[in-house]
Amino acid sequence: MKNEMLIKTANALIENNKGILAMDESAPTIQKRFAQYGIAQNEETRRAYRELIITTKGLNKFISGVILFDETIRQQKKDGTSFVKVITDAGIIPGIKVDMGAKSMAGHSGEKITEGLDGLHNRLEEYQKLGARFAKWRAVITIGNGIPSRGCIDANAHVLARYASLCQDLGILPIVEPEVIMDGNHTIEMCSEVTEEVQRAVFRHLYVQGVMLEGMLLKPNMIVSGLNCTTQPSVDEVADATVQCLKRSVPAAVPGIMFLSGGQSNELASARLNAMNNRYKGELPWGLSFSYGRAIQQPALEIWHGDDANYELAQKLLYHRSMCNHAARCGNYNASMETI
Ligand code: 13P
């Protein structure tokens, strides 16, 4: 019964070539983004911005699920309607970020371990009552001098697997997100090597903890070179390297791979996803889609500026990026779609 529910949720999130909109920035993270654009930083602006996102008309043509943050899942529209009702009425599935953030890892200089397992069962039960049908946990792996260490990779993989098993126990679909971050000057080859090692560790731990692969989704990074690397790969090189790495490390039983954008430009996030779906059409065991935060929201947040006068234009831009990424999921995106 629980397994059927998990499989049903996984399918509902990946079917019809839709993807996920991540709007689960913690309060400090969204404040940082607001500060970048000179937007006032308080609970009301956070609420108003999230209302703008979820009331965008037609979003459900491209978006199957949204990931919320603890504060957001409890919020309402100005007229008192709960966000969860607005989302579910639009035929979109509400999900929730349940990790408590990546913190410095003891004994591992420059590395992080994600916290939040203590009391997670109770928190998941509460989120389920509030309407969440899936969850997300992000682990952060950094490439640098002598890192990542085996200790950091294994600890994060173990915690991801414990989280996933707690979710499945309640019938909540876990999104497993091991993110190898783009910061650094490493090559694309190094990113591939590290990501493969991380994915292999994650699936080993998921197996040990008895996680049902058909009832989860993976949210990985693409294989790219570091932001400060002097050699940057082409769109097709990223697509090929990413597919090769995932083929080597992700079991075919996983129904969907929903990429994070991780700081890529909006256009590259669409173009690279498109290249994978275009070049490997019909060849892959899993669906390849998106679970983007910044690469969907950025233009809308920038234009909104906390000003009601820009509300409609911001929604138009959010709709547009969602449409571009939906096209990329189908392998039908092209740069001319960027002119609106
Ligand atoms: P980005 O697409 O902005 O990387 O965010 C996705 C996400 O959910 C990170 O945890």
Side-chain angles (χ1 to χ4, degrees):
M1 173 68 186
K2 252 183 243 161
N3 285 359
E4 278 165 30
M5 197 153 101
L6 291 165
I7 291 168
K8 205 170 135 205
T9 306
N11 288 337
L13 285 169
I14 56 172
E15 70 195 0
N16 299 321
N17 295 320
K18 293 186 192 180
I20 294 173
L21 165 56
M23 47 180 286
D24 60 329
E25 302 86 357
S26 64
T29 301
I30 196 77
Q31 305 282 75
K32 235 192 296 169
R33 307 250 157 96
F34 281 6
Q36 243 178 308
Y37 299 115
I39 301 168
Q41 297 142 54
N42 55 56
E43 190 181 340
E44 176 48 25
T45 48
R46 295 197 295 270
R47 192 207 62 73
Y49 175 59
R50 266 68 182 252
E51 176 169 341
L52 179 156
I53 295 180
I54 61 169
T55 56
T56 299
K57 293 215 170 48
L59 210 57
N60 56 2
K61 287 192 277 180
F62 317 121
I63 301 294
S64 55
V66 292
I67 316 176
L68 305 169
F69 176 60
D70 181 77
E71 176 181 84
T72 324
I73 199 170
R74 303 169 196 279
Q75 284 176 322
Q76 295 93 32
K77 262 176 39 171
K78 216 164 195 157
D79 71 6
T81 318
S82 80
F83 278 3
V84 171
K85 179 164 166 35
V86 176
I87 293 162
T88 42
D89 283 356
I92 296 176
I93 304 175
I96 180 81
K97 165 195 172 77
V98 299
D99 67 70
M100 307 286 269
K103 309 282 160 64
S104 293
M105 184 169 166
H108 291 77
S109 175
E111 299 195 280
K112 297 205 153 133
I113 179 73
T114 303
E115 295 185 346
L117 275 186
D118 287 350
L120 181 57
H121 189 269
N122 290 350
R123 289 198 291 123
L124 285 170
E125 275 183 331
E126 190 196 358
Y127 288 138
Q128 194 166 41
K129 281 194 197 111
L130 288 169
R133 284 177 50 200
F134 71 97
K136 184 198 97 170
W137 180 291
R138 173 175 177 253
V140 174
I141 305 292
T142 310
I143 301 179
N145 203 359
I147 58 172
S149 65
R150 175 56 66 85
C152 172
I153 293 174
D154 260 358
N156 275 292
H158 173 76
V159 173
L160 273 168
R162 290 271 296 117
Y163 138 82
S165 120
L166 279 161
C167 286
Q168 289 196 337
D169 201 38
L170 289 169
I172 296 174
L173 175 122
I175 294 188
V176 173
E177 180 180 4
E179 175 175 4
V180 177
I181 55 173
M182 284 164 64
D183 298 351
N185 57 7
H186 52 270
T187 60
I188 186 170
E189 289 80 15
M190 176 59 78
C191 177
S192 179
E193 205 178 294
V194 169
T195 304
E196 183 177 340
E197 186 179 352
V198 169
Q199 298 295 357
R200 285 179 183 277
V202 166
F203 283 100
R204 190 169 63 245
H205 282 272
L206 289 170
Y207 175 68
V208 172
Q209 296 303 325
V211 172
M212 184 190 54
L213 299 184
E214 292 81 356
M216 62 158 276
L217 293 171
L218 181 71
K219 176 164 173 166
N221 51 286
M222 293 183 194
I223 305 301
V224 292
S225 50
L227 285 171
N228 299 324
C229 179
T230 46
T231 324
Q232 291 294 325
S234 69
V235 166
D236 285 352
E237 280 166 351
V238 169
D240 290 349
T242 304
V243 167
Q244 182 189 58
C245 176
L246 296 174
K247 268 184 176 172
R248 288 175 174 173
S249 53
V250 182
V254 174
I257 295 181
M258 324 297 277
F259 290 101
L260 57 93
S261 59
Q264 303 177 59
S265 72
N266 306 321
E267 292 79 6
L268 277 179
S270 298
R272 289 165 170 171
L273 176 64
N274 182 68
M276 286 182 235
N277 281 309
N278 193 284
R279 289 161 77 80
Y280 296 91
K281 209 164 233 154
E283 284 179 37
L284 302 172
W286 358 258
L288 291 183
S289 193
F290 58 91
S291 175
Y292 293 161
R294 282 163 286 181
I296 296 180
Q297 294 184 48
Q298 186 270 330
L301 178 58
E302 188 173 351
I303 211 79
W304 174 56
H305 224 258
D307 187 343
D308 275 353
N310 305 323
Y311 209 84
E312 271 180 34
L313 182 53
Q315 290 191 324
K316 196 172 159 197
L317 294 178
L318 191 82
Y319 178 93
H320 176 253
R321 283 255 61 80
S322 305
M323 185 204 45
C324 286
N325 288 313
H326 171 261
R329 196 273 177 259
C330 305
N332 293 333
Y333 166 87
N334 63 68
S336 69
M337 293 174 79
E338 293 295 345
T339 29
I340 48 168

